Amino acid sequence: MDIHHLRENRRHGSPGLPVGIYRMEQAAGEPILDNHWHEEAEFLLVESGEAVFQIGLSTYTVGAGEVLFIPGGELHGGYSPTGGACSYSALVFDPDWLMSPGDSLTIQYLEPIKRGRLVPEPHAVAESELAAALRRGLTPLLELETSEEPAKAFRLKAGLYQLFAEYVSREAFVHRVPRSSLDMHTQERLKTVLTYIDVHYARKLTIRELAAEAGMSEGHFTRVFKSFMRKTPVEYINLLRIRIAAALLADSNTSVGEAALESGFDNFSYFCKMFRTVYQCTPSDYRHQKKP
């Protein structure tokens, strides 16, 4: 994920094949998955280790061989409960690609899934028939990541239908009314603030300013933000700035001082302290490590 864009504006896949396949191997101590969102839905398979994933306000402890389904538009992220290593793969896709007007599968299943009225079981737990079936279905699809075979699109579309068929055959759905209007409204307001931070991170941001952007009181905003993001607004902004600084140090000829200023730090000592906390080294050492 591009750290400059918490909301993933880029299209997953291509217009003709709106599917993205991603493999992540996070070493011990590295972040698992920063909270973010995208309009596409996602299947996520943990391949080794363990992580706690948050979807909206729900959390799931997911181990090797287990699968998550993440509806489009939901804030989600993950962290290691022990600081250990974790690897996982994700298949991100646009549900519209599977739909046809008037088609019974679209009307009965795919449209309700997209609207949040019908939700595939979010967490297929280890040793369950559902997890085993989803692993069998996902594995060959994930292996198509770099494939250039002519039938790739056919295989991906057929495979996605098969994954949903596994939920249907086991009735592994959570039936519910459309997402709570309060929860939905809260998430949308929070997304507005996250986008605002993404644009204005380089200047001073106050809780009052962010709360006003969200249309909340300062106290309520701080509580809501921490519930969804697992960090206070200040912690989140500082971490975002540090990661942007690290990207500048790794990918350009930017000096340490310039990286600090461009990422929003006006106190150089504080910047160095925060950087060492996140990366366990000084900004200068990090820059030298990343240079070819």
Side-chain angles (χ1 to χ4, degrees):
M1 182 181 63
D2 183 345
I3 58 176
H4 287 78
H5 295 280
L6 184 76
R7 185 187 188 279
E8 298 184 14
N9 292 311
R10 63 185 176 85
R11 183 187 296 273
H12 293 274
S14 63
L17 182 56
V19 179
I21 299 172
Y22 308 94
R23 293 180 181 273
M24 303 297 295
E25 294 187 8
Q26 306 303 100
E30 291 184 344
I32 301 299
L33 180 64
D34 290 331
N35 276 37
H36 67 290
W37 80 95
H38 38 72
E39 297 306 325
E40 299 94 334
E42 177 175 347
F43 286 103
L44 187 150
L45 169 64
V46 172
E47 294 165 336
S48 67
E50 181 183 76
V52 176
F53 287 92
Q54 181 172 337
I55 305 172
L57 288 174
S58 300
T59 57
Y60 307 91
T61 300
V62 187
E66 300 184 339
V67 178
L68 286 177
F69 177 79
I70 303 167
E74 290 276 10
L75 279 165
H76 59 284
Y79 63 94
S80 169
T82 62
C86 178
S87 65
Y88 60 92
S89 293
L91 183 73
V92 183
F93 65 97
D94 185 348
D96 285 344
W97 189 52
L98 305 178
M99 297 185 195
S100 299
D103 175 71
S104 62
L105 296 179
T106 296
I107 294 170
Q108 188 173 356
Y109 294 105
L110 297 175
E111 187 65 30
I113 288 172
K114 180 180 178 180
R115 300 298 180 195
R117 296 182 174 89
L118 183 66
V119 182
E121 184 63 47
H123 182 196
V125 299
E127 308 306 325
S128 68
E129 289 185 6
L130 178 60
L134 293 176
R135 283 196 304 273
R136 287 194 299 271
L138 271 172
T139 299
L141 300 185
L142 296 169
E143 291 173 351
L144 292 170
E145 178 184 7
T146 58
S147 171
E148 296 182 2
E149 71 155 303
K152 178 177 179 177
F154 277 114
R155 296 190 190 282
L156 284 169
K157 181 169 279 193
L160 284 166
Y161 281 128
Q162 183 61 44
L163 291 175
F164 284 115
E166 302 298 349
Y167 290 97
V168 172
S169 66
R170 292 169 177 79
E171 298 183 346
F173 288 94
V174 178
H175 292 263
R176 66 181 186 184
V177 296
R179 295 170 194 154
S180 159
S181 58
L182 177 60
D183 178 54
M184 223 175 147
H185 185 51
T186 299
Q187 282 203 56
E188 291 306 313
R189 287 194 289 176
L190 185 55
K191 290 177 188 177
T192 298
V193 173
L194 294 173
T195 302
Y196 188 83
I197 293 172
D198 198 40
V199 172
H200 300 287
Y201 67 84
R203 66 169 176 78
K204 183 177 179 179
L205 293 170
T206 66
I207 298 298
R208 174 178 293 181
E209 179 182 357
L210 298 178
E213 188 69 20
M216 302 178 189
S217 69
E218 293 181 44
H220 182 57
F221 167 72
T222 300
R223 288 190 295 272
V224 166
F225 193 99
K226 190 166 185 178
S227 295
F228 279 96
M229 305 303 292
R230 305 191 308 273
K231 298 177 181 67
T232 66
V234 172
E235 290 170 340
Y236 173 82
I237 292 168
N238 281 336
L239 182 57
L240 176 65
R241 288 170 172 165
I242 287 295
R243 291 189 177 162
I244 289 171
L248 290 170
L249 292 172
D251 298 334
S252 72
N253 294 319
T254 307
S255 70
V256 172
E258 289 169 339
L261 288 174
E262 287 186 36
S263 58
F265 289 95
D266 55 12
N267 184 314
F268 187 73
S269 296
Y270 183 66
F271 165 70
C272 292
K273 179 182 177 181
M274 288 294 302
F275 197 98
R276 183 184 286 276
T277 299
V278 175
Y279 288 102
Q280 290 76 55
C281 66
T282 67
S284 295
D285 288 342
Y286 184 89
R287 189 170 186 265
H288 290 312
Q289 291 168 14
K290 296 299 180 179
K291 290 298 177 184

